[in-house]
């Protein structure tokens, strides 16, 4: 699939189809679409006859239009003129793609950039449209099954009416394609079955990044032997019941323009390639979805791909904390007390609260990089999904500026997050009679007490925690990884690098 930005007269565009927006009440502005009067009159005849009313997503495909070189024009409804927003723009693009694909159309041109979209300039219009296109085109694949080709598109172009916006448009397209490559990679990794995607597999995928981006990315692994020497006992304990031993992948990205004084940003992704709950075993219903417990690691992996494609002038260290939580003769138990890499002790009350045990040792490990910012991303608690559902990821932070920066990136991308509190009242829930902390609270505010647990190991950092338990994948008929929050993290890094 190839993407282009074009600035030309639409009637001179020789393509298979041009997509044009029509508002409700038959509002069609010829001037905004750069068509000559005869073409406008021809299209208006169909609108006046009521063949299309302009409701969002409604479509009408026209053939043999006089005085233009394009084979077809697709009219697509955009709803009320004053209500067009980015959500509706995504819906409009999706409906357009459905129609075009039915007719095996190969080359298309979108002429929607000039529409008055609320809080959305040329840059964000293109980002929104590319996101919608890639979301539509992504298909889950079946293992060892050849899929019949059902997508015929070869090229997609976006029409820019004024040359002064060409630079912005090209930047937007570059950013969108890089970020969507990361989102797609995260989805593919997240959707793999746990008998293929185990901790070692995560490392091998990370290693491929160092081969593809030799001058930008270096990848090393920390295996169980080295974890033992480092004292990462909590991390090791989680994987002790599984034949698939823990592997931690360290992905270091260095931008070409990086200087010593620049920030070091660490992204930590929880990579539980399968979580049975261990001795505190989960119910069998929907346990298959616990293959998605590594979506935090998948998001970090995808974000590093986007960063490398964009060559951002930053130092970014991505950690894929690969592990598998299984019951077995060697598995850790409720009642065990573990000494973490930091030296702090943890009483295990529930082996299904394992992600925080992996992350607490990684939060201590990354101290060696002298990070300025640390963000961990984890499918950490079902409690967060209960609190926020599937639309918002939970945000926790010990730093106001970092929280505000992430919230800004969220607003820009519509990858939604909601900040939840961190305070000493909740820390008391983790009190233990036998260790420094217990690994779970008393049953209330589970997402918050989990974040409070992690905060005990991140006091030296400017730190944020994203709980993506409700947003990392979808269940039911359309089950699959979402690729969130790759776009949010990528935008945060774009903002940090002032790369516009």
């Amino acid at each position: 699939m190839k993407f282009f930005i074009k600035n030309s007269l639409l009637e001179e565009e020789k393509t298979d189809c041009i997509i044009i927006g029509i508002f409700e009440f038959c509002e069609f502005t010829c001037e905004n679409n750069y068509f000559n009067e005869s073409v406008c009159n021809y299209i208006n005849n169909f609108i006046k006859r009521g063949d299309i009313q302009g409701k969002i997503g409604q479509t009408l495909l026209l053939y043999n239009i006089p005085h233009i070189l394009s084979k077809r024009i697709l009219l697509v409804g955009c709803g009320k003129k004053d209500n067009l927003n980015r959500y509706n723009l995504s819906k409009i693009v999706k409906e357009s793609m459905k129609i075009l694909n039915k007719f095996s159309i190969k080359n298309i041109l979108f002429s929607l950039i000039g529409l008055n979209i609320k809080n959305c300039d040329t840059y964000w219009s293109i980002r929104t449209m590319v996101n919608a296109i890639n979301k539509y085109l992504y298909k889950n694949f079946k293992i060892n099954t050849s899929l019949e080709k059902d997508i015929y598109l070869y090229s997609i172009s976006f029409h820019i009416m004024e040359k002064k916006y060409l630079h912005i448009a090209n930047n937007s397209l570059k950013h969108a394609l890089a970020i969507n490559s990361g989102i797609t990679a995260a989805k593919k990794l997240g959707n793999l079955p746990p008998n293929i995607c185990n901790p070692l597999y995560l490392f091998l995928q990370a290693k491929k990044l160092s081969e593809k981006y030799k001058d930008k990315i270096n990848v090393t692994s920390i295996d169980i032997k080295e974890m033992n020497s480092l004292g990462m006992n909590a991390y090791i304990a989680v994987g002790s019941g599984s034949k698939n031993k823990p592997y931690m992948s360290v992905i270091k990205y260095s931008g070409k323009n990086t200087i010593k004084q620049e920030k070091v940003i660490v992204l930590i992704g929880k990579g539980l390639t399968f979580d049975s709950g261990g001795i505190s075993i989960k119910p069998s219903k929907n346990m298959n979805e616990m293959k998605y417990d590594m979506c935090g690691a998948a998001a970090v992996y995808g974000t590093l791909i986007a960063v490398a494609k964009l060559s951002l002038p930053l130092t970014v260290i991505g950690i894929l904390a690969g592990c598998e939580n299984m019951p077995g003769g060697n598995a850790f138990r409720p009642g065990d007390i573990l000494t973490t890499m930091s030296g702090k002790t943890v009483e295990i009350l529930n082996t299904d609260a394992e992600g925080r045990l992996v992350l607490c040792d990684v939060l201590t490990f990354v101290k060696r990089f002298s990070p300025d910012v640390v963000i961990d991303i984890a499918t950490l608690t079902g409690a967060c999904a209960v609190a926020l559902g599937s639309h918002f990821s939970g945000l926790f932070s010990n730093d106001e500026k970092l929280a505000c920066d992430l919230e800004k990136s969220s607003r820009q991308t519509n990858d939604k997050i909601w900040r939840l509190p961190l305070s000493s009242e909740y820390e008391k829930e983790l009190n233990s009679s036998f260790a420094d902390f217990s690994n779970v609270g008393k049953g209330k505010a589970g997402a918050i007490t989990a974040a409070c647990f992690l905060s005990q190991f991140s006091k030296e950092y400017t730190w944020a925690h994203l709980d993506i338990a409700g947003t990392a994948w979808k269940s039911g008929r359309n089950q699959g990884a979402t690729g969130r929050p790759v776009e949010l993290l990528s935008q945060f890094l774009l903002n940090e690098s002032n790369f516009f």
Side-chain angles (χ1 to χ4, degrees):
M1 177 71 63
K2 296 182 179 180
F3 289 84
F4 303 96
I5 301 293
K6 291 193 174 182
N7 169 247
S8 59
L9 293 173
L10 286 181
E11 57 259 33
E12 295 178 1
E13 279 293 336
K14 192 174 183 180
T15 187
D16 293 331
C17 188
I18 298 174
I19 297 95
I20 298 168
I22 303 295
F23 291 112
E24 284 189 24
F25 310 114
C26 304
E27 291 187 66
F28 168 68
T29 52
C30 308
E31 295 80 12
N32 287 344
N33 287 289
Y34 276 20
F35 275 129
N36 61 44
E37 188 177 351
S38 59
V39 177
C40 288
N41 290 336
Y42 179 83
I43 294 173
N44 269 322
N45 287 332
F46 291 94
I47 296 171
K48 289 174 181 177
R49 283 200 318 233
D51 291 354
I52 184 169
Q53 289 80 42
K55 296 186 183 300
I56 289 178
Q58 190 180 31
T59 56
L60 178 65
L61 192 60
L62 305 179
Y63 295 86
N64 302 317
I65 303 95
H67 309 295
I68 68 168
L69 298 180
S70 175
K71 297 176 183 177
R72 308 168 185 85
I73 286 179
L74 178 68
L75 304 181
V76 58
C78 297
K80 294 179 182 178
K81 191 171 185 179
D82 296 331
N83 289 342
L84 185 58
N85 54 33
R86 286 166 65 180
Y87 173 80
N88 288 336
L89 179 60
S90 295
K91 189 174 180 181
I92 290 161
V93 171
K94 181 182 176 181
E95 293 304 315
S96 300
M97 297 293 291
K98 283 182 181 178
I99 294 296
L100 297 171
N101 200 48
K102 282 182 181 178
F103 295 92
S104 306
I105 293 172
K106 294 182 178 180
N107 303 289
I108 62 175
L109 187 148
F110 280 96
S111 181
L112 299 173
I113 307 301
L115 299 175
N116 185 25
I117 303 164
K118 284 185 179 179
N119 304 316
C120 191
D121 56 16
T122 297
Y123 177 87
W124 287 107
S125 293
I126 292 173
R127 282 274 297 265
T128 300
M129 293 172 73
V130 174
N131 287 355
I133 290 166
N134 277 281
K135 193 172 182 179
Y136 172 77
L137 293 178
Y138 180 81
K139 304 290 182 185
N140 290 339
F141 61 92
K142 295 183 179 180
I143 301 298
N144 294 333
T145 301
S146 58
L147 293 176
E148 292 183 15
K149 184 177 178 182
D150 59 352
I151 301 294
Y152 299 90
L153 285 165
Y154 176 75
S155 74
I156 296 176
S157 301
F158 302 99
H159 183 253
I160 301 299
M161 298 176 203
E162 298 183 52
K163 286 185 178 180
K164 64 181 180 180
Y165 295 123
L166 276 174
H167 177 69
I168 293 171
N170 281 305
N171 266 353
S172 175
L173 183 59
K174 178 184 176 182
H175 295 174
L177 293 177
I179 292 169
N180 274 279
S181 292
I183 293 171
T184 298
K187 285 181 178 179
K188 287 182 176 178
L189 197 58
N191 285 330
L192 286 172
N195 60 319
I196 292 177
C197 184
N198 56 36
L200 177 58
Y201 184 90
L202 279 182
F203 167 67
L204 295 175
Q205 295 310 297
K207 192 68 178 173
K208 288 180 181 179
L209 297 183
S210 64
E211 297 165 2
K212 187 171 182 178
Y213 304 102
K214 293 180 181 178
D215 58 335
K216 301 172 186 174
I217 287 180
N218 178 56
V219 177
T220 56
S221 71
I222 308 294
D223 62 14
I224 193 167
K225 184 177 179 180
E226 191 168 353
M227 287 181 190
N228 266 308
S229 66
L230 290 168
M232 302 179 80
N233 301 310
Y235 193 145
I236 292 169
V238 174
S240 60
S242 174
K243 68 177 183 179
N244 294 312
K245 296 309 174 188
Y247 260 91
M248 184 169 71
S249 308
V250 182
I251 309 169
K252 184 175 182 181
Y253 166 85
S254 298
K256 290 182 179 178
N257 300 322
T258 300
I259 57 176
K260 290 182 180 178
Q261 290 76 19
E262 280 200 27
K263 286 183 179 179
V264 175
I265 299 172
V266 172
L267 304 177
I268 301 170
K270 174 187 171 185
L272 265 290
T273 54
F274 189 77
D275 177 23
S276 68
I279 298 299
S280 307
I281 197 163
K282 294 176 181 289
S284 60
K285 186 179 181 181
N286 297 328
M287 195 196 281
N288 61 296
E289 293 187 6
M290 286 301 97
K291 70 176 187 175
Y292 296 117
D293 211 17
M294 45 66 67
C295 282
V300 171
Y301 171 78
T303 301
L304 265 294
I305 289 174
V307 168
K309 284 183 174 291
L310 291 171
S311 298
L312 296 187
L314 294 169
T315 296
V316 182
I317 297 169
I319 308 290
L320 312 187
C323 197
E324 188 175 70
N325 186 21
M326 297 289 285
N330 294 323
F332 74 128
R333 297 150 294 211
D336 285 356
I337 293 179
L338 307 175
T339 301
T340 66
M341 186 179 177
S342 70
K344 297 171 182 176
T345 55
V346 180
E347 180 185 10
I348 305 305
L349 300 183
N350 187 331
T351 64
D352 194 23
E354 84 300 327
R356 66 201 71 182
L357 299 173
V358 170
L359 293 177
C360 76
D361 275 349
V362 180
L363 284 166
T364 303
F365 172 83
V366 299
K367 184 178 179 180
R368 65 188 57 204
F369 302 118
S370 301
D372 296 283
V373 174
V374 177
I375 304 171
D376 72 73
I377 305 96
T379 49
L380 203 66
T381 65
C384 193
V386 170
L388 299 177
S390 61
H391 302 294
F392 286 78
S393 300
L395 166 66
F396 303 83
S397 183
N398 62 10
D399 184 82
E400 289 301 315
K401 183 180 183 303
L402 177 56
C404 288
D405 288 345
L406 286 167
E407 287 172 330
K408 175 185 175 182
S409 301
S410 172
R411 290 191 299 273
Q412 288 174 311
T413 60
N414 205 35
D415 193 340
K416 296 177 180 178
I417 57 177
W418 192 266
R419 192 174 182 187
L420 294 163
L422 280 174
S423 63
S424 56
E425 292 91 338
Y426 294 104
E427 291 176 7
K428 294 175 184 176
E429 296 285 311
L430 298 169
N431 286 346
S432 168
S433 300
F434 304 103
D436 292 322
F437 321 103
S438 60
N439 75 323
V440 291
K442 304 297 188 293
K444 295 180 180 180
I448 298 172
T449 54
C452 285
F453 180 92
L454 295 178
S455 73
Q456 302 302 314
F457 301 88
S458 53
K459 292 185 182 297
E460 298 176 50
Y461 312 132
T462 297
W463 164 78
H465 160 60
L466 292 172
D467 192 332
I468 60 170
T471 58
W473 77 92
K474 291 182 178 180
S475 300
R477 183 180 177 185
N478 297 316
Q479 183 183 137
T482 63
R484 292 178 65 183
V486 171
E487 188 175 15
L488 168 71
L489 294 170
S490 299
Q491 188 59 45
F492 170 77
L493 295 171
L494 275 169
N495 293 342
E496 285 289 309
S497 63
N498 295 313
F499 202 65
F500 283 92

